[in-house]
Amino acid sequence: MASRTKITTTYEAERLIQPIYTGGDVALDREGQILATCLGEEALLTELCTGVLLARIEGDGEVLTTISLTPTASHLVTCSRSLSMQIYALRQNEGTPLITPTLLRTLKPHTTPVIIAAIDDSGTLLATGGADGIVKVWDIRDGYVTHTFRGHTGVISALHFFKVSDSETEPHKKKDKDRLSGKHSLEHQELTNGHNPTSAFRLASGSEDGKIRIWNLARRKSIATLDSHISVIRGLEYSGDANILISGSRDKTVILWDAHSWRDKRTFPVLEEIEAVGFLNRGRQFYTGGKTGRLRIWHVESGSEITKDQGVYGESDAISHIIRVDTTKILLSIHADQSLLLHSTSSLSAPESAFDGITSLPILRRISGTHDEIIDLAYVTPDNSLLALATNSESIRLVSLANSIPQASPLTEANYFGADVALLQGHEDIVICLSVDSSGCWLATGSKDNTARLWKIDHSLNSYQHHLTFTGHAESIGAVCIKSTAPVKISSEASDILDNLPKFLLTGSQDRTIKRWNIPRPDSSKESAFQPSQARALYTRKAHDKDINAIALSPNGNIFASASQDRMVKIWSTEEGEVQGILRGHRRGVWSVAFAPKDTPSISSEDGSVGSSRGLVLTGSGDKTVKIWSLNDYSCLRTFEGHTNSVLKVIWVPIPPPTPSPDDESAPRPSKRPPQIASAGGDGLLKVWDATTGEVATTLDNHTDRIWALTANPETGMLVSGGGDSVVTFWKDTSTETAAKTSAAATQRVEQDQELQNYIHRGRYREAITLALALNHPGRLLSLFTNVINTSPSEENSISGVKAVDEVISTLTDEQLLSLLFRVRDWNTNARTSPVAQRVLNVVVRSYPAGRLAGLGKRKGGKEVIEALRVYTERHYRRVEELWGESWLVECLLGEMDQLGLGDVGIGEEKGEVDKDVIMV
């Protein structure tokens, strides 16, 4: 009969939402499929259409300054602040989309950090510009410098490879042909037959001194200096169709240059600092992006702007870089808040006469490079398919949790796990807290702009609208709460969603007051547009002496709790707003509070008293403790200690749903798991506690910074944590699977033990020794070898005593042999078991060549085992030699006694001759 297995609580990080871009350079391949981004000192390769992480390349400990990807994604080049440049070859794995990077070489390109880098269309040449004002051209595959250009007096800020038309190079070719002869002609031929088969290849470079230089790669010198800008050059691009070069600068101008004469053709005052510029539609249009965060489109001929006034954006929306993908007609804009936007340029293909102006390019997708510091999170939608994130910004991000197959094109709407679905904009300052109702269709938010907002979430119609604003607090709102009980199944119709509109909203602020807001019902004839003045506070109460951090509503909605920095939690009646009780006991401010769900089992206090008839309250505090309180007498039932920093969030872990009974499937079997709570702390740890015993059930560690946010899926029980490291971790409860595996392993162990005993009894030594090594049973193995050695009589020509055992030991694999030597080493350290160890070691040494035994020393732990065997074997041999020497002394004494006749005396005594005198000589 198998012993009863103790059920342990286990969780594993099933999925992660983590940063892919934290600032710096960004690169994209020619097809717009592979995205290369900088993540501090690491370089990441991501599939743009599916969000799959293809490769993660570790850095050298310093932040990356540039990252470049060849058009075919065959090579990746990174430069860092350590003055090093690393070139990687990229190879796609067979059968998977993952990429294996191979470091080809590490170089030191400049004496100062590389600021800008560019790769030509062929993917063979790389240009680097440093802070020393030097431009270098490199052969990517062979890793050597082909050109070094000097002339700039400031930091290089822009680079662009291009090829001019053949008509421009004809005069230079004719002049070179007349001038070059003999050896010089051969040198010129070798130069032009290298990476640049003609003299049409050019490199344009711009620096912070406002000058642009055009370099002829074949002649290895500057052929033009363009000096019209008065500030840093940030963008360069050449159009072969129009034969013009465009430049954008932080002097708020864009200039078109004639590629024949290299004179300015036209100047456009764009009235913003330019960070990116480029051509569209074969040079008929160009785009600009800069400090205002607006992607603007312009006519080249008329000079007029196609995009109308797009309004004013914040500093976090500033554009730092724009990448054009011609094959898919998209523009990828990179913004200062580490977000990437995909814009469609399909609408610009119409003739110019058809344009009457557009507001802005359509945004196809939004990709969050990082979610910054995650302050709060919550499941939304009835099926919990979206996750709302408050990310230390004015906007709320809705992230998809879909498990469907990702779309195959980046132009379509992203529906993969972790994809950005929508951005809720309206607050004017950082959003601090979130609360969702029972239907998942209404989301309440509180912000530092002293307002709370209610949002309507209709994922089936892709509708995410601001519904109502609550204005009245004098300071930041740190807590919001709307009623959230058992999930309500509703349809996707708008009228059904409005029928589930919450009746009221509770808010708590740094002004130390709490307010209850009645939410007005919309007009039945039409959906009215609510104004902030329509939402009025039913009552306002001076609640605490310090900031209010959290508000929680009881399951029935009759009472609510408020937690504050004044170290107290107050229980209020929802209707009257009167204090019902005060929970005192924390030594620091209380960060989080939560009511126990319905049907929570009774929890006894440490002294044995039970108090849960009216309910339980859970709190987490800055004093590093978690407490459970009884609403019967507002006393503390249990205190949980274990965190090494403030407890920032606490929740009740959902009770698993009943499982079908094995005897009667129609009769559900309730879960036997005791009630549990989860707490997240400033120490970056997530702890799950047994509420009945006060012990830690498990500790989860996947964050590198404090955990601010914690929630649970009410249906699956999955825990979701988010913290200051921008990582969202989804923890799956694997307790059932772990218990099943443990039980199966215990049963298998018993069966294998019995099988081992059977093998030993039947004399099947090969199976017995192999199984004992696999089961890690040193005692059984020692007993087996002891019986073999003590076999009497020993078999002829056998070292151990049984030929079958000798044969088994001589045919072991390297892993089995090393495992056996581990056991022999342990036996060899004890004088009682050393004879067995020496006999087995004798068989091993005689059965295997010296080369194979020496090879075991290269394995993990092999060298230490061999050394221990040598040391203790030498000790045993010294002990035998000492005994051998002492045995000679005994033999000598016995010989002397025989000469004295003492031996006859003994015999005479046995015969009764004891009366004779003994004469000693």
Side-chain angles (χ1 to χ4, degrees):
M1 180 177 176
S3 61
R4 184 177 179 180
T5 305
K6 181 181 179 181
I7 298 178
T8 58
T9 301
T10 58
Y11 283 83
E12 65 178 15
E14 184 183 42
R15 286 185 169 182
L16 298 175
I17 298 177
Q18 51 191 346
I20 63 171
Y21 173 65
T22 54
D25 209 358
V26 174
L28 200 61
D29 71 330
R30 181 181 295 154
E31 301 298 327
Q33 298 293 328
I34 299 178
L35 177 69
T37 55
C38 299
L39 186 64
E41 65 182 58
E42 297 180 330
L44 268 61
L45 297 178
T46 308
E47 191 171 19
L48 192 59
C49 59
T50 63
V52 176
L53 181 62
L54 302 178
R56 180 185 294 268
I57 303 173
E58 296 184 358
D60 56 6
E62 293 290 341
V63 176
L64 296 181
T65 56
T66 66
I67 186 170
S68 304
L69 187 67
T70 57
T72 59
S74 61
H75 292 79
L76 179 74
V77 184
T78 62
C79 300
S80 70
R81 290 182 181 174
S82 64
L83 309 183
S84 67
M85 179 174 70
Q86 295 178 324
I87 303 177
Y88 296 89
L90 305 180
R91 179 179 57 84
Q92 186 171 359
N93 299 339
E94 296 182 1
T96 64
L98 303 181
I99 292 177
T100 300
T102 303
L103 179 63
L104 298 181
R105 55 186 53 88
T106 300
L107 306 170
K108 184 178 181 180
H110 296 263
T111 58
T112 57
V114 175
I115 305 301
I116 191 74
I119 294 179
D120 73 327
D121 291 336
S122 66
T124 58
L125 295 180
L126 168 73
T128 58
D132 52 5
I134 299 176
V135 178
K136 291 185 179 182
V137 181
W138 303 77
D139 184 287
I140 295 178
R141 289 177 174 82
D142 296 330
Y144 62 86
V145 178
T146 61
H147 303 76
T148 300
F149 298 125
R150 293 178 173 85
H152 286 289
T153 58
V155 176
I156 307 299
S157 55
L159 291 171
H160 177 64
F161 281 103
F162 64 97
K163 181 181 179 182
V164 298
S165 60
D166 295 336
S167 59
E168 186 203 352
T169 62
E170 287 299 327
H172 298 292
K173 289 181 179 179
K174 184 176 181 180
K175 186 180 296 183
D176 292 340
K177 182 177 181 180
D178 296 337
R179 181 170 55 84
L180 297 174
S181 61
K183 179 180 177 180
H184 298 286
S185 179
L186 291 176
E187 292 177 354
H188 179 68
Q189 184 178 0
E190 292 176 359
L191 173 65
T192 57
N193 287 338
H195 298 283
N196 306 292
T198 67
S199 60
F201 288 95
R202 304 284 187 267
L203 174 64
S205 61
S207 72
E208 66 176 7
D209 59 5
K211 295 181 180 181
I212 302 172
R213 293 183 180 270
I214 309 299
W215 309 90
N216 189 320
L217 298 185
R219 302 171 65 185
R220 297 177 179 272
K221 69 177 184 178
S222 173
I223 60 175
T225 301
L226 314 181
D227 189 5
S228 292
H229 288 289
I230 59 174
S231 187
V232 180
I233 308 297
R234 290 296 296 138
L236 294 170
E237 189 169 359
Y238 173 79
S239 173
D241 298 293
N243 201 22
I244 55 177
L245 178 75
I246 189 172
S247 63
S249 171
R250 289 179 181 171
D251 61 5
K252 303 182 181 180
T253 62
V254 171
I255 301 179
L256 297 180
W257 306 86
D258 188 344
H260 290 287
S261 61
W262 293 117
R263 294 184 178 179
D264 56 323
K265 189 175 182 180
R266 186 163 188 171
T267 301
F268 299 89
V270 296
L271 304 180
E272 71 167 322
E273 296 182 6
I274 297 299
E275 296 293 332
V277 66
F279 285 109
L280 292 171
N281 294 327
R282 305 177 68 88
R284 295 193 300 269
Q285 301 154 354
F286 69 90
Y287 61 84
T288 61
K291 189 175 181 179
T292 62
R294 296 177 295 173
L295 179 57
R296 305 164 70 183
I297 311 298
W298 306 74
H299 283 298
V300 171
E301 293 297 332
S302 63
S304 59
E305 183 179 357
I306 298 176
T307 52
K308 295 180 180 179
D309 186 14
Q310 305 174 41
V312 179
Y313 299 108
E315 294 182 0
S316 61
D317 297 317
I319 296 176
S320 60
H321 194 39
I322 297 177
I323 301 175
R324 184 184 69 249
V325 183
D326 294 327
T327 56
T328 53
K329 294 184 178 181
I330 62 173
L331 290 176
L332 176 65
S333 61
I334 296 91
H335 297 259
D337 61 352
Q338 289 88 42
S339 63
L340 294 80
L341 301 183
L342 287 173
H343 308 263
S344 173
T345 60
S346 301
S347 59
L348 301 177
S349 303
E352 294 186 12
S353 57
F355 283 113
D356 190 21
I358 58 177
T359 303
S360 61
L361 293 181
I363 298 178
L364 301 175
R365 283 177 53 193
R366 177 186 179 90
I367 303 173
S368 295
T370 176
H371 291 299
D372 200 5
E373 190 168 4
I374 299 173
I375 302 176
D376 202 357
L377 51 81
Y379 279 101
V380 292
T381 70
D383 57 353
N384 297 322
S385 60
L386 297 181
L387 191 68
L389 302 177
T391 60
N392 202 25
S393 65
E394 302 86 355
S395 306
I396 302 98
R397 299 177 182 178
L398 298 183
V399 178
S400 174
L401 303 180
N403 295 319
S404 59
I405 299 176
Q407 301 290 342
S409 172
L411 295 179
T412 59
E413 180 185 357
N415 195 30
Y416 57 85
F417 182 86
D420 289 68
V421 174
L423 193 69
L424 306 184
Q425 296 177 318
H427 283 290
E428 299 176 357
D429 209 334
I430 295 175
V431 177
I432 301 177
C433 50
L434 304 175
S435 179
V436 66
D437 78 322
S438 57
S439 67
C441 297
W442 298 98
L443 177 67
T445 59
S447 169
K448 284 187 176 181
D449 61 5
N450 306 348
T451 66
R453 290 176 180 259
L454 186 65
W455 309 82
K456 185 176 71 173
I457 310 297
D458 191 354
H459 185 44
S460 61
L461 301 177
N462 291 329
S463 174
Y464 316 97
Q465 300 177 357
H466 168 237
H467 190 72
L468 197 59
T469 301
F470 304 88
T471 305
H473 281 289
E475 295 188 37
S476 301
I477 296 179
V480 293
C481 184
I482 50 181
K483 188 173 182 180
S484 176
T485 55
V488 179
K489 301 297 182 182
I490 64 173
S491 66
S492 59
E493 297 180 1
S495 59
D496 200 359
I497 294 177
L498 291 175
D499 289 340
N500 286 273
L501 183 66
K503 295 181 180 180
F504 61 90
L505 173 72
L506 298 171
T507 59
S509 170
Q510 289 184 359
D511 61 10
R512 306 168 188 176
T513 64
I514 55 174
K515 292 178 181 287
R516 170 177 168 168
W517 310 80
N518 282 343
I519 301 176
R521 309 293 296 178
D523 189 356
S524 59
S525 60
K526 59 180 180 179
E527 186 176 345
S528 60
F530 290 95
Q531 300 296 328
S533 58
Q534 290 180 280
R536 297 182 179 179
L538 180 63
Y539 57 75
T540 301
R541 298 288 184 266
K542 173 68 168 60
H544 293 273
D545 296 331
K546 291 186 179 180
D547 301 349
I548 298 175
N549 295 326
I551 290 180
L553 195 63
S554 65
N556 57 17
N558 295 331
I559 57 176
F560 69 92
S562 61
S564 170
Q565 285 295 110
D566 62 4
R567 301 177 292 179
M568 289 190 297
V569 176
K570 292 186 178 182
I571 309 299
W572 305 77
S573 62
T574 305
E575 293 298 328
E576 298 81 12
E578 300 295 334
V579 176
Q580 304 295 310
I582 300 178
L583 310 181
R584 293 184 176 90
H586 283 295
R587 300 185 301 275
R588 294 288 187 275
V590 183
W591 284 102
S592 182
V593 61
F595 281 90
K598 271 185 180 180
D599 303 327
T600 300
S602 300
I603 296 176
S604 61
S605 64
E606 297 176 356
D607 58 5
S609 60
V610 179
S612 61
S613 59
R614 294 185 56 189
L616 301 171
V617 175
L618 177 67
T619 59
S621 168
D623 60 8
K624 311 174 188 178
T625 64
V626 178
K627 291 180 181 289
I628 294 181
W629 309 79
S630 172
L631 292 179
N632 290 344
D633 53 1
Y634 307 107
S635 62
C636 178
L637 297 178
R638 286 196 174 273
T639 300
F640 305 83
E641 297 181 351
H643 283 283
T644 58
N645 209 321
S646 300
V647 178
L648 303 175
K649 191 75 173 182
V650 291
I651 62 170
W652 292 85
V653 178
I655 299 176
T659 58
S661 176
D663 300 329
D664 185 6
E665 295 184 358
S666 61
R669 182 175 56 182
S671 174
K672 296 182 179 180
R673 195 198 71 185
Q676 292 181 338
I677 59 175
S679 61
D683 51 10
L685 299 177
L686 174 62
K687 291 181 178 291
V688 179
W689 310 79
D690 188 331
T692 58
T693 63
E695 297 179 355
V696 177
T698 184
T699 299
L700 311 177
D701 185 7
N702 191 55
H703 292 273
T704 59
D705 204 341
R706 62 185 61 189
I707 302 176
W708 286 106
L710 179 63
T711 189
N713 190 315
E715 297 180 357
T716 63
M718 177 176 290
L719 301 180
V720 185
S721 59
D725 55 359
S726 306
V727 176
V728 180
T729 306
F730 294 79
W731 303 95
K732 180 182 178 181
D733 187 357
T734 58
S735 302
T736 304
E737 293 84 350
T738 302
K741 291 180 181 179
T742 304
S743 177
T747 303
Q748 185 181 10
R749 185 102 179 175
V750 171
E751 294 175 352
Q752 290 176 339
D753 287 345
Q754 183 61 44
E755 189 177 6
L756 177 60
Q757 293 289 348
N758 295 338
Y759 286 147
I760 296 175
H761 180 72
R762 296 172 185 173
R764 299 173 60 177
Y765 295 110
R766 173 179 294 277
E767 292 83 355
I769 293 175
T770 304
L771 186 58
L773 290 174
L775 295 179
N776 193 19
H777 275 183
R780 299 282 175 82
L781 197 62
L782 176 63
S783 176
L784 187 152
F785 284 126
T786 303
N787 294 335
V788 169
I789 293 172
N790 294 333
T791 301
S792 181
S794 300
E795 296 183 6
E796 188 177 356
N797 299 326
S798 173
I799 303 174
S800 64
V802 177
K803 287 185 178 181
V805 175
D806 295 351
E807 183 181 352
V808 171
I809 295 177
S810 63
T811 57
L812 295 176
T813 63
D814 288 348
E815 290 77 8
Q816 293 173 338
L817 182 58
L818 186 60
S819 178
L820 177 61
L821 291 179
F822 269 107
R823 303 306 166 205
V824 172
R825 176 201 60 182
D826 298 337
W827 302 336
N828 201 36
T829 58
N830 193 326
R832 293 182 178 180
T833 57
S834 61
V836 178
Q838 289 297 317
R839 184 73 67 88
V840 175
L841 186 60
N842 189 13
V843 178
V844 171
V845 172
R846 292 177 180 270
S847 302
Y848 293 94
R852 185 173 178 185
L853 295 178
L856 296 177
K858 299 179 181 179
R859 292 177 172 266
K860 184 178 180 181
K863 185 177 180 180
E864 292 77 7
V865 170
I866 294 176
E867 181 65 18
L869 288 172
R870 183 189 64 81
V871 171
Y872 277 94
T873 299
E874 291 178 353
R875 180 180 300 178
H876 294 318
Y877 271 99
R878 285 197 302 268
R879 183 167 57 87
V880 171
E881 290 176 356
E882 292 174 358
L883 290 175
W884 182 256
E886 293 176 357
S887 67
W888 281 102
L889 178 59
V890 174
E891 186 175 357
C892 181
L893 291 176
L894 292 177
E896 293 296 332
M897 292 174 63
D898 289 342
Q899 294 179 7
L900 294 176
L902 296 181
D904 296 336
V905 173
I907 296 175
E909 289 179 354
E910 293 180 0
K911 294 180 179 179
E913 300 177 357
V914 295
D915 297 333
K916 296 182 179 180
D917 295 333
V918 178
I919 302 173
M920 299 296 296
V921 179

